[in-house]
Amino acid sequence: MADKDAYVNDGGHKVQVSPASASIEDDLKLIRDAARSLPPEAVKDLLSNGVCGRCIFWLFSIHRHILHCPSISSSVLSAILRESAETEGDVADHPNNLNSVEEFEEVEVCKNCLGIMQFVYRDAKEMLAKKASAIDFATTIADVVKLECHQIENFSLELSLPSIIVDNEEAIWLYMKKTYESKPWYHEKFPSRSITIKEFLRLSLTHPLEILLDVKSNPSSFHIRLTYKLSDASQNGQLISKGNECNKRRKIDDNDDLKKHANVHKVEEHEERKNSSNELGDHKLGCLTFSLEKVSRCCSLIIQCYRNSIYIGGRYLKYSRKVSQTRWIIDDERMGEASVEELVGGTILPICQGDSYKFHAAGREDIDVRMLGTGRPFLVEIQNARQVLSEALIKDIETKINSTETKYVRVKNLKESGSQGWALMHEGEAEKQKQYVAVVWISRPLDDNDVETVTSLKDMKTLQKTPVRVLHRRSSLVREKIIHWMNIERIAGSSQYFLLHLCSQAGTYIKEFVHGDLGRTHPSIGSILGCRAEILQLDVTDVKMDSFQI
């Protein structure tokens, strides 16, 4: 990229920067022309307060030169001030002015931006890093993104800066207005308000990143996040006031003192905020000075890139009575041979190249219950996927899951779903209906009256206490459920075995509805037929959810 032309935005215009051809002399000419337009007294004042060259240009809304040039330094500005002083004869009349100009060497860490505008930071290993320009800094960020191997269609740039940056910005504006508002150049050269440092940083990095990554910056599910942090020991930059009559920000480190002076501290903070928000003409601002304590070190920077979770939904069918829905471990021992969660999610994750996954389903069946028919709705949430989903990729996922040798689980109708699919699935759980088929044994021969009795029952209410088999993990409650309809299918050659087909409200305990659970479910098939009833096998044949369509 070093030999290619790059571009930056300057006030909405696309400006070309050619690192290979741009010379230091060109940079210096741009800086000199801009610096000569600035009031020397203000520049000198800001430099003496430890403000970096880029921040000075930022204050006067000269953004183009900040974006272009790597050569903006306090020493360069000092040289320009010296030239200006010599030209105007200030050196002869006031020799001390020249000496003061010569003292303005490069600020290691700007007391206003804490190195952010200087592109100085501490990396993840706490090593000091410094980039010459926004383009160099954007190259570092792009390298991090490329290292993560994300497929990118567009990106969103997110920035997080320490709150002290906002305080420093406000301090400079208050000081400049209070000190120089009466000067002839103030209203002509000094803007009413510049963009914030955060906005400037976004402006300076967005277009170089677009060029380097070859995609546009738009509202996107893919995020590049820059998080600047300052250690507690370094957060000494404070707006301070001179004179006994001025409010001073109180700093209490000891816990006992903090408790002792809590009320006083709150009152002082309240008064300080109140004073800061007053109009600048208020007499209380007369004691305000722009004097920030030394910053011991620059900000630490964490560069991250991530994609919002993607959701792949469909319906799954489970053909084995030895497969649980989710991974099931008891006392470090695995229950069952596998799980739907692992067979489906574990296949999708490496294909999408995500960090992790979560499996969501519309209810669950017991490990010994098969899921047949139309299947059960599910969603797999893939976190920070590197691959962008496409119809072809989803088709490949479905094929791979369905071609496994075990043939325990199959999926159908796989589609990409937004995050709203998860909410819709769980909203529909309470209203969904489920159909079952059960192999039932009763203690006497089945007759025609039994078939007619069971078949005639429609929308029958049944009261179910929490089953004995789940009392150890669920609260003891009484639940009212609806059995919408039932049919009995005889099994040839057997008078005491039959297939029970039924449709019930979601959450009905079907096993207990058949055998009664020692009277804890009533009515039950056993109580309806007036005999002992046992369930031998159970399968789910349909899960109806109108609110969730896959």
Side-chain angles (χ1 to χ4, degrees), residues 169-237:
E169 289 178 6
E170 191 64 24
I172 287 185
W173 285 104
L174 288 171
Y175 174 75
M176 292 294 288
K177 185 174 180 66
K178 182 65 179 177
T179 307
Y180 296 110
E181 188 176 19
S182 62
K183 301 294 182 181
W185 55 263
Y186 181 82
H187 294 287
E188 177 186 351
K189 294 184 179 296
F190 198 73
S192 58
R193 180 69 72 165
S194 180
I195 63 174
T196 65
I197 289 177
K198 186 174 184 178
E199 290 167 338
F200 163 74
L201 190 60
R202 190 190 310 276
L203 171 68
S204 63
L205 294 175
T206 296
H207 206 76
L209 284 172
E210 288 181 332
I211 298 298
L212 292 163
L213 299 175
D214 196 24
V215 292
K216 291 295 182 182
S217 171
N218 291 311
S220 172
S221 63
F222 180 74
H223 306 269
I224 300 172
R225 182 172 180 82
L226 308 183
T227 303
Y228 287 89
K229 293 184 177 181
L230 199 62
S231 64
D232 293 339
S234 301
Q235 295 197 47
N236 297 322

Side-chain angles (χ1 to χ4, degrees), residues 98 242 258 310 395 423 467 540:
L98 180 58
K242 291 182 180 179
L258 182 61
I310 61 174
K395 190 65 178 178
V540 185

Side-chain angles (χ1 to χ4, degrees), residues 408-421:
Y408 290 152
V409 174
R410 294 290 180 269
V411 295
K412 63 180 183 179
N413 302 331
L414 281 192
K415 294 178 183 177
E416 181 180 6
S417 173
S419 58
Q420 68 275 10

Side-chain angles (χ1 to χ4, degrees), residues 31 58 69 93 105 110 125 149 157 171 181 230-231 268 280 283 285 288 297 342 351 424 456 496 526:
I31 296 172
W58 159 76
C69 305
D93 298 334
E105 298 180 356
C110 174
K125 297 180 180 179
C149 300
L157 182 60
E181 188 176 19
L230 199 62
S231 64
E268 289 180 350
L280 289 171
H283 70 279
L285 289 176
L288 206 65
R297 57 191 290 167
E342 293 167 296
I351 294 176
L424 288 173
S456 66
Q496 292 178 259

Side-chain angles (χ1 to χ4, degrees), residues 164 231-238 240 248-255 257-258 261 265 268-269 272 293-294 296:
I164 194 175
S231 64
D232 293 339
S234 301
Q235 295 197 47
N236 297 322
Q238 301 272 352
I240 63 173
K248 186 181 288 186
R249 183 169 292 179
R250 190 180 194 121
K251 203 171 181 184
I252 304 174
D253 295 325
D254 186 82
N255 289 335
D257 288 342
L258 182 61
H261 300 288
H265 185 50
E268 289 180 350
E269 283 191 338
E272 183 180 16
E293 296 179 20
K294 291 291 183 183
S296 60

Side-chain angles (χ1 to χ4, degrees), residues 19 135 167 213 220 246 373 434:
I135 295 172
D167 294 339
L213 299 175
S220 172
C246 296
K434 298 165 71 175

